[in-house]
Amino acid sequence: MSQRVKIKALLQSQQTDVDVTVKGWVRAFRSNRFIALNDGSTNNNIQIVVDFENTDPALLKRITVGAALSVAGKLVASQGKGQTVEVIATDIEILGDSDPDKYPIQPKKHSLEFLRENAHLRFRTSTFGAIFRVRNTLAFAVHQFFQERGFIYLHTPVITQSDAEGAGEAFHVTNFDLTNIPKTDTGEVDFKQDFFGAATNLTVSGQLEGELGAMALSDVYTFGPTFRAENSNTTRHLAEFWMIEPEVAFNDLTDNMDLAEDMLKYVIKYALDKNAEDIEFLTQRLEEEEKQKPQNERSEMSLLEKLQFCLNHDFERLTYTEAIEILKESTPNKKKKFVYPIEGWGTDLQSEHERYLVEKHFKKPVILTDYPKEIKAFYMRQNDDGKTVGAMDILFPGIGEIIGGSAREERLDKLEQRMDEMGIPKDELWWYLDTRRFGSCPHAGFGLGFERLVLFVTGMGNIRDVIPFPRFPKNAEF
């Protein structure tokens, strides 16, 4: 038997009348004669032509949707429509049977909710095959982008004693017997007896540790899992997700914006080049979905147009203050169409405001800078006006904020003052403050929620559909 060839390679093959071996899972079996076989290398199936008159009837009965097969045969030019080549089977081996009455992923349209309930099998559908091939490409492109620029990939801890955002929405990590938690004399949990000798949690961000690396290695990035114990069931939130966080010594806010814009354009273009077939499939899928919506709720751009939109424009850069003025004077605000009206400076912008700026006003991706310090994190560099910080958010069509970042506050006195104002204990972050004591320098960085990026590039509507095994309130099943 010849060596296995992947279906993608067979479909691209210029050769015919050659012996091949192909392995995969049955997507459909028509007329006891035509098997649609898929191995995940491409969304397209290869057609296997069965000589049913000379094939054991017992074997034919076992060729059902979901079964795993190994097929040896001859690759020939296809007589049918929809494919250039097909395999005339000479030998079929059942590698794994499938019960046709119980196999949930039948060859018909399934709702995304149904597929979430069967997340262990949803990879076998065309939609999720496309999504996870695109996700793979984007992850590779992120690494390639930073590696080409001489960045050091830094693994930051999953278990930490700090809460980088100060939001208190972290998962606790403990080795205690939960039925017998040791207490102090005052009745509080005695963390000194715990595994790490202190209260610890799953990380919400690798940024603070990333800054430590940047203070010696100059250009670093993290790409790892992060966790938020936020009791949120929206289409934009997960309890476990992946974050890309570069930190760059000697960069200012402008450098930071340049890096972020370059990175987004690089990875989107890379996916368009490498996954053209998958993105075309997802574009068509989204167009079908859009047809079901009322006319006024339909997107003005197709998925492909949205991706090209981000590649073809320089991102518009403006301050939060300028954006507030635009939003305040906008027609939807004056006609009270916004769910959250813009009443003045200091308002925390919502997705509807961000999308208005991108999709209606500028008609290009937008980078907002210099936000009020009250609505931003303690580590962001304070501007000379005493009111704003050197923050930057990148806003994309259909999704709103995709990247958040800032120049970091490198001045010890300013950082300590801000921590005091926000009630962040300095003694717990002594190591972070040390970087401001010993050879501090201007530096900047940003965070990109990887699933937000995958959501945007695939056109999916729910973030639970772009991570293999979603974690959200009341669900960690698979």
Side-chain angles (χ1 to χ4, degrees):
M1 191 180 279
S2 57
Q3 193 173 3
R4 176 203 170 203
V5 182
K6 288 192 176 179
I7 288 170
K8 185 174 186 178
L10 283 181
L11 294 174
Q12 292 173 344
S13 174
Q14 302 300 309
Q15 286 185 299
T16 53
D17 295 318
V18 291
D19 292 329
V20 296
T21 296
V22 62
K23 300 181 183 185
W25 294 268
V26 177
R27 285 273 178 94
F29 187 26
R30 294 183 293 113
S31 316
N32 263 14
R33 184 162 171 79
F34 303 108
I35 303 169
L37 203 68
N38 190 282
D39 65 2
S41 61
T42 169
N43 249 357
N44 296 316
N45 308 317
I46 188 112
Q47 179 161 284
I48 310 294
V49 182
V50 181
D51 180 1
F52 70 98
E53 290 176 355
N54 296 306
T55 303
D56 179 1
L59 182 76
L60 287 175
K61 276 187 182 173
R62 292 172 63 197
I63 302 172
T64 61
V65 175
L69 307 184
S70 174
V71 178
K74 197 169 284 292
L75 187 69
V76 299
S78 178
Q79 303 304 306
K81 291 179 181 175
Q83 69 270 329
T84 55
V85 290
E86 60 191 16
V87 175
I88 306 294
T90 53
D91 182 67
I92 299 173
E93 181 187 353
I94 312 280
L95 301 176
D97 288 286
S98 176
D99 185 335
D101 297 324
K102 293 181 179 173
Y103 182 62
I105 312 297
Q106 292 296 321
K108 62 177 185 177
K109 188 174 174 61
H110 295 287
S111 73
L112 294 173
E113 290 80 6
F114 173 82
L115 292 171
R116 264 174 238 135
E117 291 164 10
N118 291 277
H120 59 307
L121 295 170
R122 66 179 179 170
F123 299 105
R124 298 193 191 184
T125 65
S126 296
T127 296
F128 285 92
I131 289 166
F132 292 115
R133 280 189 296 272
V134 171
R135 182 183 171 110
N136 165 69
T137 297
L138 288 169
F140 181 83
V142 165
H143 283 294
Q144 187 158 287
F145 173 83
F146 287 116
Q147 293 296 325
E148 284 176 359
R149 285 155 183 75
F151 277 67
I152 305 294
Y153 177 32
L154 200 67
H155 293 121
T156 52
V158 169
I159 299 172
T160 175
Q161 290 182 34
S162 66
D163 176 0
E165 301 296 326
E169 291 170 340
F171 287 101
H172 301 297
V173 174
T174 182
N175 198 38
F176 283 148
D177 173 358
L178 296 183
T179 62
N180 186 24
I181 296 173
K183 301 284 178 71
T184 64
D185 294 340
T186 54
E188 294 173 336
V189 175
D190 187 1
F191 285 110
K192 286 184 179 171
Q193 293 189 49
D194 206 352
F195 187 90
F196 294 106
T200 53
N201 50 264
L202 295 178
T203 185
V204 298
S205 167
Q207 179 203 314
L208 302 189
E209 292 88 354
E211 285 187 56
L212 310 186
M215 289 300 99
L217 303 168
S218 289
D219 301 358
V220 305
Y221 72 104
T222 77
F223 189 170
T226 51
F227 308 84
R228 299 278 164 90
E230 187 180 352
N231 190 13
S232 174
N233 270 300
T234 77
T235 57
R236 290 286 184 271
H237 286 91
L238 289 166
E240 176 185 284
F241 53 99
W242 288 67
M243 283 282 282
I244 298 146
E245 296 175 291
E247 290 294 328
V248 189
F250 317 113
N251 265 12
D252 62 16
L253 192 61
T254 301
D255 300 322
N256 206 33
M257 290 190 278
D258 292 344
L259 180 70
E261 181 171 343
D262 288 349
M263 188 201 74
L264 286 168
K265 287 181 171 177
Y266 182 99
V267 299
I268 290 169
K269 184 173 189 313
Y270 197 90
L272 280 168
D273 291 344
K274 295 286 181 185
N275 291 83
E277 184 186 278
D278 289 319
I279 289 172
E280 178 57 38
F281 169 84
L282 291 165
T283 298
Q284 289 173 6
R285 183 201 157 277
L286 192 59
E287 282 171 4
E288 289 301 313
E289 208 173 68
E290 288 288 311
K291 286 176 189 172
Q292 312 303 317
K293 294 180 182 176
Q295 191 75 38
N296 63 329
E297 289 178 25
R298 291 180 193 174
S299 174
E300 292 177 16
M301 287 184 277
S302 73
L303 174 59
L304 210 47
E305 286 168 342
K306 226 181 274 186
L307 299 176
Q308 291 294 349
F309 174 91
C310 294
L311 295 184
N312 297 341
H313 294 96
D314 290 335
F315 296 5
E316 185 73 29
R317 301 179 183 192
L318 70 155
T319 66
Y320 166 91
T321 303
E322 291 167 327
I324 284 290
E325 283 307 306
I326 291 168
L327 290 164
K328 212 161 78 175
E329 297 304 313
S330 69
T331 304
N333 198 55
K334 286 182 170 175
K335 290 191 172 178
K336 300 194 175 356
K337 291 274 179 71
F338 284 142
V339 178
Y340 299 93
I342 296 287
E343 287 167 0
W345 199 88
T347 306
D348 205 350
L349 299 184
Q350 304 294 323
S351 183
E352 60 179 342
H353 309 134
E354 295 167 343
R355 290 183 59 182
Y356 173 82
L357 291 169
V358 173
E359 296 164 32
K360 304 294 185 194
H361 188 81
F362 289 108
K363 297 195 183 324
K364 60 171 74 170
V366 169
I367 309 182
L368 288 187
T369 64
D370 304 302
Y371 283 77
K373 66 179 184 180
E374 280 72 29
I375 60 173
K376 288 295 181 180
F378 76 93
Y379 49 72
M380 296 190 175
R381 195 178 201 279
Q382 295 165 65
N383 291 331
D384 295 339
D385 61 13
K387 294 196 315 180
T388 62
V389 289
M392 55 156 258
D393 285 350
I394 298 188
L395 316 178
F396 264 18
I399 201 166
E401 183 197 331
I402 194 164
I403 277 181
S406 75
R408 312 311 191 191
E409 183 55 83
E410 84 280 8
R411 298 162 295 185
L412 180 63
D413 58 337
K414 294 274 190 187
L415 184 58
E416 288 189 320
Q417 174 198 341
R418 191 76 187 112
M419 289 172 79
D420 287 339
E421 286 171 12
M422 296 180 72
I424 294 168
K426 297 197 292 283
D427 57 335
E428 289 180 16
L429 288 175
W430 62 270
W431 45 271
Y432 184 69
L433 293 169
D434 263 6
T435 57
R436 275 66 175 173
R437 293 187 181 104
F438 310 127
S440 185
C441 70
H443 60 290
F446 60 81
L448 167 63
F450 185 52
E451 282 71 29
R452 280 276 176 107
L453 174 65
V454 183
L455 201 66
F456 179 74
V457 177
T458 59
M460 299 304 289
N462 193 318
I463 205 158
R464 296 173 188 178
D465 295 328
V466 298
I467 190 167
F469 305 103
R471 299 289 181 253
F472 49 92
K474 305 289 184 279
N475 191 290
E477 190 172 4
F478 300 103

